[in-house]
Each structure stands twice: as C-alpha cells, then as structure tokens.
Amino acid sequence: MNIKKFLSIKIHKSMIQAGIPSKYNVILRSCKKKIFGNYQINGIISAAIHLKINPNNLAKKVVKNIKLNNILTNITVSPTGYINFFLKKEWLSNQINLLIISKKLGLTKNIISKNIVIDYSSPNIAKEMHVGHLRSTIIGDSMVRILSFVGHNVIKSNHIGDWGTQFGILIAFLKKKKKKINFLLSDIEKLYKQAQKKYITDINFTKLAKYYVVKLQQKDSSCLRIWEKIVNITMNYNYQLYKKLNIKLNHHDTMGESKYHDMIPNIIKDLKKKKIAVNNNGTLMIPIKGVQNKKGKLMAVIIQKKDGAYLYATIDIACIKYRYDFFKADRIIYYVDSRQSQYLNQIFQIVRNAKYVPNNLQLEHHMFGMILNKNNKPFKTREGTNIKLNHLIDESIIRSKNIILEKNPLIKKKLLEDLSKKIGIGAIKYADLSKNRIHNYIFNWQKILSLNGNTSLYIQYAYVRTISLLKKANINLNNFLNLEINFISQYEFDLAVSFLDFEEIIFKIVEKGTPHLLCNWLYKITVLFSSFYENCNILNIKDTKLKISRLKIVLLTSLFLKQGLYLLGIDIIEKI
C-alpha cells in the first residue's frame, strides 16, 4: 500500500470537516526526529493564514476529526500548527504480515495496463559500444523491469542506425579496396576510421559514399549483402555484451532504421500534401514554428536531400508512426542524452502536427547527463578516446576479484569468478542508477566498489546477512505468518515503517523514469537493517515469539532487497 496516500486521503477529509477549504492538500512527511513521531502533517499553517485562525487551534480541530484510532497513536500538535503522530504497533504488525504473503510486496494500486515503448541503448553499427552507451542501456533496462513489474505491457526497442551515411562510407571503402568481410567488429571499426578519414579528405570518395547511401536505400542487392554482414557482426557482439551486463535485450528487440524504410515515400508524400513539408531548392524540409536558429531565422528539419537520400529525422518520424500504428503505443519513452532534447522535441511536434499520433499519446524524452572523470571532464582514456564498455566491465570484475581475495584468500576459484562478476557489474550499474539521471556524475572506482555507503556491494552484503540469518535459524516462517510482530526496540520498528514506502517509490519512478529513487530507498532500508542487526539479538534469544518476530523482519528485508536489486538489473549474492 501507499501509506502516505492512504493517510493523506483520510486526513484531508478531517481537514475539510474542520472548515479548511478542499483546495488545501495534506502535506505528509516523515518526521526528521523520530521522538516526535513517524509522520508529520504540514499545510495547516497556510490554511490558517487564509482563514485568519491561529494555526495551533486549527490543527487541534483537525485532530479531533481524525478517526484513525486503529492506525495512529500519540497524535500531538506543535505550537506552530504541525501535527505529529506514530503508527500503532498492532496495525504495523498486521501490515508486515500482509507484505510477507503479498504477491508484489504490498503493491495494491490497480493500474490500467498500457502499451509502453522504451527506446534505449541504440549502439552504433560498425563500432564497439563505449562508456557513452552505458546510461541509456542500464537506465532503460531498469525502467523496462519496473514498468513490467507494476503490470504494463512493455515493448523494448533497441533502435540502431543501420541505414545511414556510415554505410555508404563503409560500402564504398570495402568495394574500392575489394575486401571481403570475414573479420571481427574491432577490425570493422578500424576500417571505418580509415574510410571516414578518406570521406573527409577525398571529394571523389565523398561522392562515391553518397552514391552508395542512395543505392542501399534503393535496396541494391550487392549493397544489402555487405550491409547485412556488418549489422550481424556488430549486433552479435552487442548481444554477448548485453548478456554479460544482465540487460534484457536480444535480437527480437532490435529495430533498425531499415525497418521503417518502406514507409518513408508515403510519409513524405503525405507531409507534402498536408503542406507541412516544403521544397527549398530541391531539399525537402519542415519549418518548426516558434524555433529560431542562431541567425534569427526559422529553424527547419530536413527530411530529404537533393540527391533523394533520407535523413535521421525522416526515419524518426516514421518510427513514431510505426510504434503507434503497430504496437498501439500509449506511451513512448526515449532514453537519449540531453544533447538531443531540442531535436526530439521537434520530431514530437512534427508527428503531432501531421496527426500521426493522437494527443493523448505520451511522447517523453527522459534525458540524462554525462559520465565524468575526477577533473569534471568526459570519462575517457588517457589518450582521449572513448572507453570501450567491455573494457570497463572487465576492469570492474578484476578490481572486484582483488577486493574479494583480500578478504578471503582461500576462496574457491569458481565462487571467486561468480562473485567478482556479480559484484563488479553490479557496482558499475548501481553507480549510474543511484544518480539522478538528469545530472552529470563523476566516476570513481574507490567509491563504487566500497563496502560502505550507497553502493551495490553494501546492499548485496546486507542481503548475504539476511540469508545467513534465515539459514542459521532453520525455521519455517510460513507456519507463523499470522503471529504478531513484537516491536521491542526502535530499530526494528523504524525498519518496518520504512517498508511501507515501497509502493510510493515505485510509482514515482513509473511516472518520472527516475530509478535513483529506488536506489535511495534500498540504501535506506539497508542502513536501518544494519542498525537492527547490530543492536538487536536475533538468533540467540530465549523468547521464541520475539525470535520469530525478528526473523520475519529479516525475511521481509531479504525479499525487498532481492526484488529491488532485480528491478535495477543487479544480481544478488548469497555468500562472500
């Protein structure tokens, strides 16, 4: 359940009964100082000023109308009009028991399932994925998991650029050199760099490359054979990388620009007919109302060059139309970096003006910042080149292995390999996901692989502790699901209260695409669990009911940590 929403609805009725206009909402927050209560009601003061009433007196009127005696206790009013209260231990005990047996850890909100397309990862063809692809890939993957978890039908879309100028460059270069394509992706990338250099410096080669772009778009059989080989080599490499990263993307989710190619002639014809696209000296473009370039002239999006070649914008317009027509999308989310913000907004404007999508279709750009080094510069190699994503993963695994060996030099090799992968990959993913996506962040090896602080390893280690306690206890807790939880200490009570925030956190993420909120919550319950673990006797206790009570809290902690890490795409570990 969403405890804050549940209480806010009840308390809002009490505010209205106290004479407060309905426009004043309940502002319910967790108390910073636990001695005052679990929650605090704000918002009374502004209403009191409007009604010209003393805030303390108005708050007392509200309290008299609160009929939640079975849930709340110790309701107090501060001199300034804040209302503080505690949750009743008996009620909280019942909620904990319900959480343990619930299918989705207390998610009770009934949603209308939507078809949601998530556009993420989008690696470059003929190049290895680099660190710049990390954020889109792992944030998108986490959102796929979270949206699916709450009940939406999620369509994963790995939109790859397999139909543009780079293919004209590569095809021209390979044909000119008469090279056969029987090599690795790294070899193709080297060839592409050579070809690109020639494209910039050799006018004749530039013309030849543009010629082959058009030939490819006209589906020339020779060009198609080369194109298909390059795409397959690239994506087979990427699928292995996705598997390594525990990313839910495979060949079924790959939707290249070529998929929409046959739609484009009709779209161009339609845009011209609707007078949305205009001809400017042989170039077809769409003026964007209200947007000017640096020279103060109206900006325009080009959709077809003089030579007949299509551009990215043409493909993206067709792509959105396809996603609505074929997938019946209710919501389309793009996980693309912030530099594409203006461009995507222009594409969204075009498809709406053309009536390719209805007004109620949500088109969202969930932008993200950059990964930086300690000097606040883009995170690159010493030579200034992009860090290969595979190299970054391998380095994290090696560093994790060294940390494990320091703690346990006699660990078995198979376990060492398994743990180092789970810890190393989890560390990279969590370091990114725990940051608000709209901000840049500094990549720091020492911080991301620390056993302390807001890291995946800290949370994974807490999970190990929960599993260890449950195994040592060797008690079937299913036989005690109705047994009341005894809250003897503040540590176990605070931990139990924090469980009630799960639904609120999840649905905030569903709305905003901000998985860092889940990371913050997991870190919070891990800190609270650590305090509970260190200050409360769990196993060596004579009172059997109290022992089972505390083990049930341990069990629920383990369930939340496991589910939370899964939603982030991070593996649990059961021993270290």
Side-chain angles (χ1 to χ4, degrees):
M1 70 183 302
N2 185 334
I3 179 64
K4 289 180 184 174
K5 187 175 181 180
F6 171 77
L7 291 175
S8 294
I9 291 169
K10 301 285 186 183
I11 294 165
H12 190 246
K13 290 179 181 177
S14 303
M15 288 170 64
I16 293 170
Q17 289 169 355
I20 297 174
S22 60
K23 68 178 182 179
Y24 289 94
N25 294 319
V26 177
I27 302 171
L28 190 65
R29 293 173 180 161
S30 298
C31 286
K32 290 181 180 179
K33 293 183 179 180
K34 298 301 179 185
I35 57 169
F36 295 125
N38 299 122
Y39 296 101
Q40 182 181 85
I41 303 169
N42 298 342
I44 304 294
I45 297 172
S46 57
I49 292 169
H50 172 77
L51 296 170
K52 297 180 180 179
I53 300 174
N54 180 282
N56 179 270
N57 293 336
L58 183 58
K60 286 177 179 177
K61 278 187 179 182
V62 173
V63 169
K64 283 182 181 179
N65 290 297
I66 294 175
K67 308 298 182 186
L68 294 169
N69 295 333
N70 61 323
I71 300 174
L72 309 183
T73 186
N74 293 345
I75 304 175
T76 59
V77 178
S78 74
T80 51
Y82 294 112
I83 301 172
N84 301 304
F85 58 83
F86 289 91
L87 297 175
K88 273 196 169 179
K89 291 181 179 180
E90 297 81 7
W91 181 83
L92 183 58
S93 170
N94 185 50
Q95 294 306 307
I96 296 303
N97 284 331
L98 290 173
L99 285 174
I100 291 172
I101 62 173
S102 66
K103 289 183 180 179
K104 291 188 177 181
L105 293 171
L107 255 65
T108 57
K109 182 177 178 179
N110 293 319
I111 66 157
I112 298 171
S113 182
K114 292 183 178 181
N115 297 323
I116 303 177
V117 177
I118 300 188
D119 185 314
Y120 66 113
S121 192
S122 303
N124 302 109
I125 299 299
K127 293 181 181 179
E128 290 185 52
M129 289 176 73
H130 57 77
V131 72
H133 294 103
L134 183 66
R135 302 209 75 181
S136 173
T137 303
I138 63 175
I139 296 171
D141 179 72
S142 180
M143 287 307 301
V144 166
R145 293 166 184 264
I146 291 168
L147 289 165
S148 300
F149 175 64
V150 302
H152 290 298
N153 176 40
V154 181
I155 299 102
K156 296 168 286 179
S157 180
N158 192 2
H159 184 83
I160 60 171
D162 65 347
W163 209 244
T165 304
Q166 76 271 32
F167 279 96
I169 294 171
L170 264 171
I171 292 168
F173 191 77
L174 290 168
K175 280 183 171 289
K176 201 170 180 66
K177 296 285 184 180
K178 297 181 180 179
K179 285 184 175 287
K180 291 184 178 180
I181 307 174
N182 292 310
F183 28 66
L184 301 172
L185 178 57
S186 55
D187 298 322
I188 294 176
E189 187 167 356
K190 288 174 186 175
L191 286 173
Y192 179 68
K193 286 179 181 177
Q194 294 173 31
Q196 195 175 34
K197 190 174 181 181
K198 194 172 180 65
Y199 180 79
I200 295 168
T201 57
D202 187 333
I203 295 173
N204 291 326
F205 182 77
T206 304
K207 290 179 181 178
L208 185 64
K210 288 180 178 179
Y211 166 78
Y212 278 118
V213 171
V214 177
K215 290 286 283 182
L216 177 63
Q217 292 179 350
Q218 291 172 346
K219 296 192 175 181
D220 174 80
S221 59
S222 173
C223 291
L224 282 173
R225 279 194 297 273
I226 298 171
W227 165 80
E228 189 174 13
K229 282 187 177 181
I230 294 170
V231 171
N232 287 340
I233 290 169
T234 305
M235 292 313 298
N236 286 335
Y237 175 88
N238 289 333
Y239 296 140
Q240 291 175 21
L241 196 55
Y242 291 143
K243 188 176 180 181
K244 194 173 183 178
L245 268 174
N246 192 19
I247 298 294
K248 289 180 170 293
L249 279 174
N250 56 44
H251 67 280
H252 296 296
D253 310 310
T254 300
M255 301 178 193
E257 293 172 349
S258 55
K259 188 177 186 71
Y260 316 106
H261 181 264
D262 292 342
M263 296 172 62
I264 291 176
N266 287 333
I267 285 176
I268 286 178
K269 185 178 178 182
D270 183 62
L271 290 170
K272 287 164 71 176
K273 183 180 177 182
K274 291 174 178 174
K275 296 183 179 179
I276 292 172
V278 295
N279 192 308
N280 185 2
N281 296 323
T283 299
L284 201 61
M285 58 178 61
I286 300 174
I288 305 298
K289 293 179 181 179
V291 182
Q292 294 180 333
N293 60 22
K294 292 178 181 179
K295 295 180 180 179
K297 294 183 178 180
L298 201 66
M299 284 191 71
V301 173
I302 298 172
I303 59 172
Q304 190 173 29
K305 293 180 181 179
K306 289 181 181 180
D307 61 7
Y310 309 128
L311 286 91
Y312 289 123
T314 331
I315 298 288
D316 287 329
I317 292 165
C319 176
I320 293 176
K321 188 177 188 302
Y322 176 88
R323 288 169 176 175
Y324 175 70
D325 291 345
F326 186 77
F327 294 124
K328 308 301 178 189
D330 300 299
R331 185 182 182 191
I332 303 174
I333 306 172
Y334 288 79
Y335 284 94
V336 182
D337 77 44
S338 55
R339 291 170 293 183
Q340 300 298 318
S341 179
Q342 185 184 61
Y343 167 74
L344 280 174
N345 284 329
Q346 290 171 353
I347 298 300
F348 294 166
Q349 184 179 324
I350 290 167
V351 295
R352 290 200 188 281
N353 289 343
K355 307 295 182 186
Y356 292 152
V357 297
N359 290 331
N360 62 351
L361 172 67
Q362 295 171 261
L363 292 169
E364 302 172 29
H365 175 203
H366 288 187
M367 66 183 76
F368 50 83
M370 297 173 66
I371 305 175
L372 307 175
N373 63 20
K374 62 182 179 181
N375 299 316
N376 279 310
K377 301 291 183 184
F379 188 44
K380 295 189 175 185
T381 64
R382 289 179 181 177
E383 293 75 29
T385 57
N386 287 321
I387 296 171
K388 304 293 185 189
L389 190 50
N390 204 24
H391 295 171
L392 185 75
I393 295 166
D394 288 343
E395 183 173 354
S396 191
I397 291 170
I398 291 167
R399 285 173 179 265
S400 300
K401 192 176 291 185
N402 292 335
I403 290 170
I404 296 166
L405 286 170
E406 281 181 21
K407 301 284 183 184
N408 185 3
L410 301 177
I411 189 171
K412 291 182 179 179
K413 186 178 179 181
K414 187 177 180 182
L415 179 59
L416 175 63
E417 294 297 325
D418 180 61
L419 285 177
S420 57
K421 284 179 183 176
K422 288 178 178 178
I423 291 170
I425 291 170
I428 290 173
K429 295 176 84 171
Y430 191 88
D432 195 297
L433 291 167
S434 61
K435 311 298 186 299
N436 189 328
R437 61 173 169 78
I438 65 172
H439 298 146
N440 300 334
Y441 76 91
I442 294 172
F443 192 93
N444 183 305
W445 281 116
Q446 282 69 40
K447 285 184 178 179
I448 74 169
L449 284 167
S450 174
L451 255 173
N452 299 303
N454 192 6
T455 66
S456 62
L457 183 52
Y458 180 60
I459 296 167
Q460 286 171 318
Y461 186 64
Y463 181 77
V464 172
R465 278 181 166 175
T466 63
I467 295 302
S468 176
L469 286 168
L470 294 169
K471 284 181 179 177
K472 286 177 182 177
N474 195 27
I475 295 173
N476 186 354
L477 295 176
N478 289 325
N479 297 329
F480 304 97
L481 293 177
N482 294 320
L483 185 72
E484 185 177 339
I485 307 289
N486 292 324
F487 296 109
I488 304 300
S489 79
Q490 192 65 38
Y491 299 106
E492 55 202 326
F493 187 77
D494 289 345
L495 177 56
V497 170
S498 71
F499 295 149
L500 303 180
D501 294 332
F502 182 62
E503 181 174 300
E504 179 191 5
I505 296 294
I506 289 297
F507 280 100
K508 278 184 179 178
I509 299 167
V510 165
E511 182 184 354
K512 301 291 185 182
T514 47
H516 75 280
L517 297 176
L518 177 57
C519 296
N520 292 343
W521 181 77
L522 287 172
Y523 176 59
K524 178 184 176 181
I525 66 168
T526 302
V527 170
L528 290 170
F529 170 74
S530 296
S531 296
F532 165 60
Y533 176 84
E534 289 163 7
N535 292 281
C536 297
N537 194 341
I538 299 170
L539 296 179
N540 302 317
I541 188 169
K542 291 181 180 179
D543 187 333
T544 305
K545 285 187 177 180
L546 182 58
K547 181 178 180 178
I548 291 169
S549 170
R550 286 179 171 172
L551 283 170
K552 286 168 78 173
I553 292 173
V554 172
L555 172 63
L556 196 50
T557 303
S558 74
L559 294 175
F560 274 120
L561 293 180
K562 184 177 182 179
Q563 184 65 62
L565 287 172
Y566 170 80
L567 294 176
L568 297 173
I570 296 172
D571 287 322
I572 55 167
I573 55 176
E574 296 194 358
K575 58 173 69 175
I576 190 168

